[in-house]
């Protein structure tokens, strides 16, 4: 668990960086398993998803515990998670990478969005995926799935450490999502990664311009030739980056 609170400044910086940059920065620190495997945007969004994790854990359903009537219980964890995920946070669901049944549908996810969540991620399925994709809020899933969650999943724990797409997610970790997927940043690294990745994005924009202009990669990326270091500094002065 973490007492970290994502600042507006760090959130704004992370909204301008890619998951690729985040992955590289984490790799430099020895963290290799922070990409949520097997999830894709329900519908690609131009604005990146950034927010702290609020989690929901599913276990395999047992038939005697999961009749349709369980939804009448006001304390049902799936429903409670939708109503208690804090604004600005990302609801992250552990479905054991089993997308044969949905982990939520458009009604619940619409409620989550209207409450101000920054996004939702599930390594399982969503039903009514078209409606979820039409929301402004970013959403990530494994694939569409019509069957109700009760057929295969029992919602059990809220805001506990989980696995999502084989990545460890602790409540309060910072998630960054773009069109490639979702990275999980340990909370204590979020501020320094935001600064580092901002610089990485600047350099890679410079490199891409050089590549498009015909510059060879060797000596440019990474910049082992002094002339490319000087060109980058001149580019930063010119662009204000």
């Amino acid at each position: 668990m973490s007492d970290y609170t994502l600042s507006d400044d760090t959130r704004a910086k992370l909204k301008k960086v890619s998951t690729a940059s985040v992955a590289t920065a984490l790799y430099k620190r020895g963290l290799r398993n922070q990409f949520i495997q097997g999830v894709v945007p329900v519908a690609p969004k131009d604005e990146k998803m950034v927010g702290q994790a609020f989690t929901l854990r599913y276990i395999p359903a047992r038939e005697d515990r999961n009749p349709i009537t369980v939804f009448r219980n006001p304390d049902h964890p799936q429903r409670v998670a939708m109503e208690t995920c804090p604004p600005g946070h990302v609801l992250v669901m552990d479905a054991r990478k089993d997308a044969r049944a949905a982990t939520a549908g458009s009604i619940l996810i619409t409620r989550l969005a209207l409450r101000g969540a920054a996004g939702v991620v599930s390594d399982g399925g969503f039903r009514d995926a078209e409606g979820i994709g039409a929301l402004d809020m970013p959403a990530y899933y494994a694939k569409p799935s019509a069957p109700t969650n009760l057929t295969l999943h029992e919602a059990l724990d809220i805001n506990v450490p989980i696995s999502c797409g084989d990545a460890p997610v602790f409540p309060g970790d910072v998630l960054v999502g773009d069109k490639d997927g979702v990275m999980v940043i340990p909370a204590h690294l979020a501020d320094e990664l935001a600064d580092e990745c901002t610089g990485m994005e600047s350099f890679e924009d410079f490199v891409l311009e050089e590549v498009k202009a015909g510059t060879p990669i060797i000596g440019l990326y990474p910049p082992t030739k002094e002339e490319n270091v000087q060109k980058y500094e001149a580019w930063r002065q010119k662009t204000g980056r």
Side-chain angles (χ1 to χ4, degrees):
M1 305 299 178
S2 172
D3 294 328
Y4 174 81
T5 299
L6 179 66
S7 69
D8 290 341
D9 181 57
T10 294
R11 186 189 297 269
K13 289 176 181 176
L14 290 174
K15 277 186 172 286
K16 296 179 181 178
V17 305
S18 68
T19 53
S21 292
V22 172
T24 299
L26 287 170
Y27 177 72
K28 291 176 182 177
R29 291 161 173 80
L31 296 169
R32 305 183 179 198
N33 189 35
Q34 300 303 117
F35 185 68
I36 297 180
Q37 298 290 340
V39 306
V40 295
V42 176
K45 308 293 183 186
D46 290 331
E47 184 174 352
K48 294 181 175 68
M49 178 186 76
V50 178
Q52 290 187 258
F54 185 86
T55 66
L56 174 64
R57 184 172 77 97
Y58 284 101
I59 66 169
R62 198 177 75 189
E63 288 78 1
D64 63 326
R65 290 178 53 88
N66 289 277
I68 195 71
T69 52
V70 298
F71 286 144
R72 295 179 178 273
N73 179 1
D75 295 324
H76 188 271
Q78 185 205 42
R79 266 51 175 179
V80 172
M82 301 298 164
E83 294 293 342
T84 56
C85 179
H89 282 56
V90 175
L91 177 61
V92 189
M93 294 186 251
D94 174 3
R96 312 172 314 284
K97 300 190 297 180
D98 189 342
R100 292 175 298 159
T103 50
S106 64
I107 292 175
L108 270 63
I109 301 302
T110 297
R111 173 60 179 165
L112 184 70
L114 291 175
R115 291 191 56 254
V120 60
V121 183
S122 172
D123 63 0
F126 285 150
R127 65 199 308 194
D128 311 314
E130 184 176 359
I132 293 172
L135 298 170
D136 290 334
M137 183 187 73
Y140 295 80
Y141 69 161
K143 66 178 184 179
S145 188
T148 176
N149 65 308
L150 300 177
T151 61
L152 287 171
H153 307 303
E154 178 177 346
L156 195 69
D157 291 318
I158 295 174
N159 222 29
V160 297
I162 62 170
S163 168
C164 187
D166 292 328
V169 183
F170 290 81
D173 283 349
V174 177
L175 279 81
V176 177
D178 61 14
K179 293 174 183 178
D180 285 351
V182 182
M183 291 296 303
V184 184
I185 305 174
H188 68 281
L189 294 174
D191 293 342
E192 65 180 78
L193 256 69
D195 290 333
E196 180 176 326
C197 291
T198 298
M200 290 171 62
E201 294 286 330
S202 169
F203 176 67
E204 293 196 355
D205 286 348
F206 159 74
V207 168
L208 189 57
E209 284 189 19
E210 288 293 306
V211 168
K212 289 180 176 179
T215 304
I217 286 293
I218 297 172
L220 171 66
Y221 190 65
T224 54
K225 290 184 178 179
E226 181 60 29
E227 63 189 77
N228 289 322
V229 175
Q230 294 175 2
K231 286 172 72 174
Y232 175 52
E233 290 303 321
W235 180 87
R236 289 185 63 198
Q237 292 290 327
K238 179 181 177 181
T239 62
R241 301 283 297 276

